[in-house]
Amino acid sequence: MPKDSRKNKRETGLESVLPMREQLELSYIKDIIIHWGDDPSLLLIGVDSQALGGAFVDFIKKHSPLQVKLHGVEERDTVFDILRNADQLDAGAAQLLCFYTDVSLQPRDVASNLIFYRDYIPQFKLKIILITSHILLNTIIERAYDFYSISGFSGFFTDLSRSVQKDLAPAEYKPGPVQEFEKSHEDLNRYRQQDNVIPRVLMKKLFNSAGFAVKISGYDEALEFLEGAMGIAKKIADREYQAMIFGNIGHIYSDKGEFEKANENYNAAVKLFRKIGDARKETRVLSEIGYIDSKKGQLDRALKSYKKELEIAEMFGDLMGEAAVQNKTGLIYSLRGEFDKALKYHEDALRIFKEPGDLSGEACALESIGNIYRQKGYPGDALEYLRKAFKIFRKNGDLHGEADSLRFIGSIFIHSGDLDKASAYLEEGLSISKKINILRLESSYIGYIGNIYELKGDIDNALKCFEEGLAISKKCGDWRQEACHPGYIGHINELNGEYEEALKHYTEALLIAQKTGDFEIEVLSLGRIGILYLHKGELAEALRYSREALDKSERHSFLLGKPPNLWNIGNIHFAKGAYTEALKCLRESLGIAGKVGNAHDEATALIDIGRVYNAQYNNDEAVKYFKKALEIAQTAGFKLLTREVLLIAPKMNNRLRRSRKRPAEGDINP
């Protein structure tokens, strides 16, 4: 050993009092620092004791070959996000973030405050070192879904952005899921070609590559990586990784809509986590099973799973976990049509996410609140929250979040009848979806654009969109979207009077929904078939399918599915001339719409009731209901409903127009 190195060792007082094991650990960490490359990167290091942490800081400050700036967190409630202010740091200098020096800090506090914006590391050419306790490091690793870019080794973690292409202009750099997957795949292949491949490291690289593949809907590649990782995990008897791999395979099948296969893998993960005594991860997998329960209409079971997850999160002091569960619980209540209760859960989640400055969580909660107002039929309020979410997603460089928000905003303008605005938002969202290569989103966007063509009367282009969307959904194996597009195509067939073709496509959608257990699409498909038989004049079959859809909605406490099918049954009775039965069904649908606060459904029911009275030549009652429907439609900005109510009773137009209320300024702004 050179003389200067021996001198340096003697000068490091803390190092000299370390036990032999910790001296070896410090030596290992020193080697990492000394041989650290020049590329932008993130290094997370966990240490066993405060003395070891102090010795490492001492080494960094006195003897590291790197130019280092030391940053500390001294107040528990500090919102410390060094990367958010990355433009104030020196490019090329290593920034040491030491979270070990303040023993009063709790893991959940730091993990909640630590928000990594992965783009900033290559963008500002940063080298970040974080030293912390093992318990805190494990907490951060468990929250790896927040930054996805970590590949693990035995004692430290490095960010994959060190392999960013040098020829990209830093200010324009946005990794995106495709680039992330390609970089991860290159890293995996390079490692496989080495002579000294360590099975555990290869397992983790395969596991991480699968995660990147899922983000671009590369389900087949992801399953291949996970099968490889599982083989190694079984060989080295790593039960924890086996459980994690089972969980991720389950997530893939859940995304694809293959819920039985998803549950099979989730249950295998639960058994393993239970055996190794990891209650937190077990509960998270149970939460995923809860999501499948919600898609299959077993909403009470889903709520039970989320309740257990919330209890575990509270027990471990996982504040962000609590917020995530609150948001998911709100989604269940919105499915049940209990919008006020759903809103409370989403607002609680928003408040928790805001406390530590978790912008990603805040944006998700804002989006959920916006969607509640969208479902209730309050487009102005919905747009306010969705735009706030969109701005945060864009600020964070979260292209997936941007695309989701644009889709919801576009759908609001479709319902309001502002088709040009809707088209502008949806085209931008489609462009982002193609850029990040998320086929599920791309298929969904093309479906919405097809809806716009259909509303404009351009049936040929609508059909092209729906067929293209169906082909994309089949390509990526997304069964949910695969079930949606035949329904769209069937509606075009129905508009063209091609009833047998329409029935074939509606039945195709129904069978996919029944096979996957997706009760929402099953209810929708049954209702569509009922309407088709109504148009064909086969009223008995129309009534049978509509009642089956209504019964299924009631069995699953799916309140949102009841009004449309009550309209269908009411209109069937109307077609039979059974006006009393028709009014009974339509008034029940009106009551449900009013109860849940859904302005769109309320206006629709009022229009249908007005039509019944109009058919009975009871013009005064008809005008009363049409007038009320018109007020709701205009106040909420529903242009299509406004046109409908003015077209269905031409002789009454003058009376209705005199009662028209001017819509409030700014109800819906672009």
Side-chain angles (χ1 to χ4, degrees):
M1 182 183 290
K3 288 182 180 179
D4 57 351
S5 295
R6 287 196 300 271
K7 181 180 177 184
N8 288 345
K9 182 174 175 66
R10 283 196 301 272
E11 288 176 355
T12 307
L14 282 173
E15 180 177 347
S16 64
V17 299
L18 292 177
M20 181 60 69
R21 181 179 62 82
E22 292 188 356
Q23 287 189 25
L24 290 173
E25 287 183 6
L26 181 60
S27 174
Y28 176 59
I29 295 171
K30 285 180 180 180
D31 285 342
I32 294 170
I33 298 299
I34 290 168
H35 296 102
W36 207 9
D38 295 329
D39 291 337
S41 53
L42 167 67
L43 179 66
L44 284 75
I45 300 175
V47 299
D48 287 322
S49 71
Q50 191 165 359
L52 178 57
F56 175 69
V57 173
D58 206 15
F59 164 75
I60 285 288
K61 289 163 69 175
K62 295 180 180 178
H63 310 302
S64 169
L66 302 171
Q67 176 191 352
V68 174
K69 288 193 173 182
L70 179 65
H71 303 270
V73 179
E74 297 177 356
E75 295 180 17
R76 173 172 176 163
D77 294 326
T78 301
V79 178
F80 188 79
D81 185 355
I82 193 70
L83 297 185
R84 191 180 296 168
N85 301 312
D87 55 339
Q88 300 171 17
L89 303 179
D90 296 335
Q95 315 292 326
L96 176 65
L97 315 183
C98 182
F99 288 99
Y100 203 87
T101 54
D102 184 354
V103 294
S104 69
L105 283 169
Q106 298 298 314
R108 70 167 188 172
D109 297 317
V110 179
S112 297
N113 291 336
L114 193 65
I115 305 169
F116 289 110
Y117 294 111
R118 187 174 178 271
D119 294 3
Y120 283 1
I121 294 173
Q123 184 173 334
F124 295 102
K125 300 180 180 177
L126 299 177
K127 294 168 66 109
I128 307 292
I129 310 167
L130 183 145
I131 177 172
T132 182
S133 65
H134 271 308
I135 185 171
L136 175 55
L137 182 62
N138 288 335
T139 302
I140 295 167
I141 293 166
E142 285 176 2
R143 295 188 70 246
Y145 60 82
D146 279 349
F147 40 100
Y148 292 110
S149 52
I150 292 178
S151 65
F153 300 86
S154 59
F156 67 97
F157 284 71
T158 54
D159 191 287
L160 297 176
S161 60
R162 64 169 53 203
S163 59
V164 64
Q165 293 179 7
K166 298 290 181 65
D167 57 348
L168 287 171
E172 297 175 359
Y173 175 72
K174 284 201 173 191
V178 175
Q179 293 93 325
E180 288 179 333
F181 171 69
E182 290 172 352
K183 296 300 178 186
S184 173
H185 203 183
E186 288 171 11
D187 179 58
L188 173 64
N189 288 334
R190 277 197 303 269
Y191 189 76
R192 277 173 160 167
Q193 293 167 9
Q194 293 180 11
D195 295 330
N196 56 339
V197 172
I198 302 169
R200 184 175 297 278
V201 174
L202 178 58
M203 174 187 71
K204 292 180 179 180
K205 286 182 176 291
L206 286 163
F207 183 83
N208 290 333
S209 293
F212 289 116
V214 167
K215 290 173 72 177
I216 60 169
S217 304
Y219 297 127
D220 291 339
E221 294 96 330
L223 287 170
E224 183 182 338
F225 291 140
L226 290 172
E227 285 167 6
M230 181 65 87
I232 298 172
K234 288 180 177 178
K235 194 171 182 179
I236 64 176
D238 189 326
R239 290 193 299 179
E240 182 180 13
Y241 254 88
Q242 287 178 49
M244 290 165 62
I245 292 165
F246 273 128
N248 281 20
I249 292 173
H251 188 70
I252 290 170
Y253 283 120
S254 178
D255 270 1
K256 285 163 64 71
E258 298 183 48
F259 295 141
E260 295 307 317
K261 286 185 179 180
N263 268 338
E264 181 183 328
N265 283 278
Y266 282 147
N267 286 324
V270 167
K271 287 179 183 177
L272 283 170
F273 281 132
R274 194 167 289 163
K275 282 182 181 178
I276 63 179
D278 194 329
R280 295 181 74 180
K281 288 179 181 172
E282 177 193 340
T283 309
R284 286 176 184 171
V285 178
L286 287 170
S287 174
E288 296 298 329
I289 294 173
Y291 169 78
I292 290 178
D293 288 336
S294 74
K295 300 311 294 179
K296 295 172 74 173
Q298 296 165 341
L299 303 183
D300 290 335
R301 282 180 57 177
L303 285 173
K304 187 177 178 181
S305 296
Y306 293 156
K307 183 180 179 183
K308 185 173 180 181
E309 185 184 8
L310 181 60
E311 289 170 357
I312 297 291
E314 289 173 344
M315 183 173 72
F316 282 94
D318 183 357
L319 201 61
M320 296 302 96
E322 290 178 37
V325 180
Q326 300 274 30
N327 213 41
K328 288 188 289 188
T329 303
L331 295 174
I332 299 297
Y333 281 112
S334 69
L335 274 176
R336 292 172 63 158
E338 298 181 48
F339 291 135
D340 291 340
K341 191 174 281 189
L343 202 56
K344 181 182 181 301
Y345 278 98
H346 292 317
E347 287 171 344
D348 285 346
L350 178 62
R351 175 181 51 77
I352 297 171
F353 281 130
K354 277 185 170 181
E355 285 178 14
D358 186 333
L359 293 177
S360 177
E362 183 181 341
C364 289
L366 286 166
E367 186 174 83
S368 297
I369 293 170
N371 279 323
I372 291 293
Y373 284 116
R374 180 174 66 90
Q375 289 175 289
K376 282 168 68 72
Y378 296 115
D381 292 325
L383 285 172
E384 178 187 345
Y385 282 95
L386 289 170
R387 283 175 174 143
K388 285 179 182 177
F390 174 76
K391 286 177 182 177
I392 294 174
F393 285 133
R394 175 151 286 184
K395 179 181 177 182
N396 288 356
D398 184 344
L399 295 176
H400 194 163
E402 282 185 47
D404 260 337
S405 294
L406 288 167
R407 182 163 52 114
F408 294 132
I409 292 170
S411 73
I412 289 172
F413 285 113
I414 288 178
H415 283 295
S416 70
D418 290 318
L419 301 183
D420 291 337
K421 287 178 188 173
S423 184
Y425 281 105
L426 293 171
E427 289 290 353
E428 183 181 355
L430 177 61
S431 174
I432 293 172
S433 300
K434 288 180 176 179
K435 181 178 180 181
I436 59 181
N437 197 40
I438 297 183
L439 297 178
R440 285 174 296 155
L441 275 178
E442 188 177 337
S443 174
S444 177
Y445 267 109
I446 290 171
Y448 275 117
I449 292 168
N451 293 149
I452 291 174
Y453 279 123
E454 181 183 330
L455 289 168
K456 287 183 173 181
D458 190 344
I459 302 301
D460 291 339
N461 275 321
L463 190 58
K464 285 179 184 177
C465 285
F466 298 145
E467 288 172 344
E468 183 184 354
L470 179 60
I472 292 171
S473 61
K474 285 182 175 179
K475 179 182 176 182
C476 71
D478 185 342
W479 286 36
R480 182 172 176 80
Q481 283 297 323
E482 194 174 334
C484 287
H485 287 286
Y488 298 149
I489 294 169
H491 192 239
I492 296 294
N493 296 141
E494 190 174 352
L495 290 174
N496 288 333
E498 301 164 350
Y499 291 145
E500 294 309 313
E501 280 298 303
L503 183 59
K504 184 181 82 172
H505 285 108
Y506 288 154
T507 303
E508 181 186 351
L510 176 63
L511 291 174
I512 294 172
Q514 289 174 334
K515 182 177 180 179
T516 60
D518 193 321
F519 83 100
E520 286 183 80
I521 294 181
E522 185 178 357
V523 168
L524 178 64
S525 300
L526 287 167
R528 280 173 168 163
I529 293 172
I531 294 171
L532 176 65
Y533 278 117
L534 173 62
H535 290 164
K536 289 177 70 177
E538 299 180 31
L539 302 186
E541 282 296 282
L543 197 57
R544 182 169 76 84
Y545 277 98
S546 297
R547 279 184 173 156
E548 187 178 349
L550 181 62
D551 290 344
K552 187 166 283 290
S553 298
E554 289 177 339
R555 281 200 306 273
H556 292 300
S557 302
F558 183 39
L559 203 59
L560 296 183
K562 292 181 72 174
N565 289 296
L566 284 166
W567 303 332
N568 294 350
I569 295 170
N571 283 319
I572 292 166
H573 287 305
F574 177 65
K576 294 166 68 174
Y579 298 139
T580 302
E581 286 298 313
L583 286 172
K584 181 181 175 183
C585 291
L586 294 171
R587 285 195 175 113
E588 186 180 350
S589 73
L590 177 62
I592 294 171
K595 178 182 176 182
V596 302
N598 189 320
H600 190 277
D601 285 0
E602 193 175 353
T604 302
L606 287 164
I607 291 170
D608 284 345
I609 293 171
R611 289 174 60 205
V612 175
Y613 281 116
N614 191 30
Q616 293 179 301
Y617 302 102
N618 189 341
N619 290 346
D620 290 338
E621 281 297 298
V623 168
K624 183 174 77 173
Y625 281 95
F626 288 143
K627 182 179 177 182
K628 181 62 177 174
L630 191 63
E631 285 178 7
I632 293 173
Q634 290 181 322
T635 300
F638 299 136
K639 292 184 179 179
L640 297 179
L641 279 180
T642 299
R643 289 189 208 123
E644 181 181 349
V645 76
L646 291 172
L647 288 171
I648 56 176
K651 293 180 181 179
M652 299 184 186
N653 270 358
N654 290 335
R655 292 176 66 183
L656 285 169
R657 288 180 192 282
R658 283 197 296 272
S659 70
R660 286 181 69 178
K661 197 173 110 179
R662 196 180 181 92
E665 292 266 345
D667 276 339
I668 296 184
N669 296 312

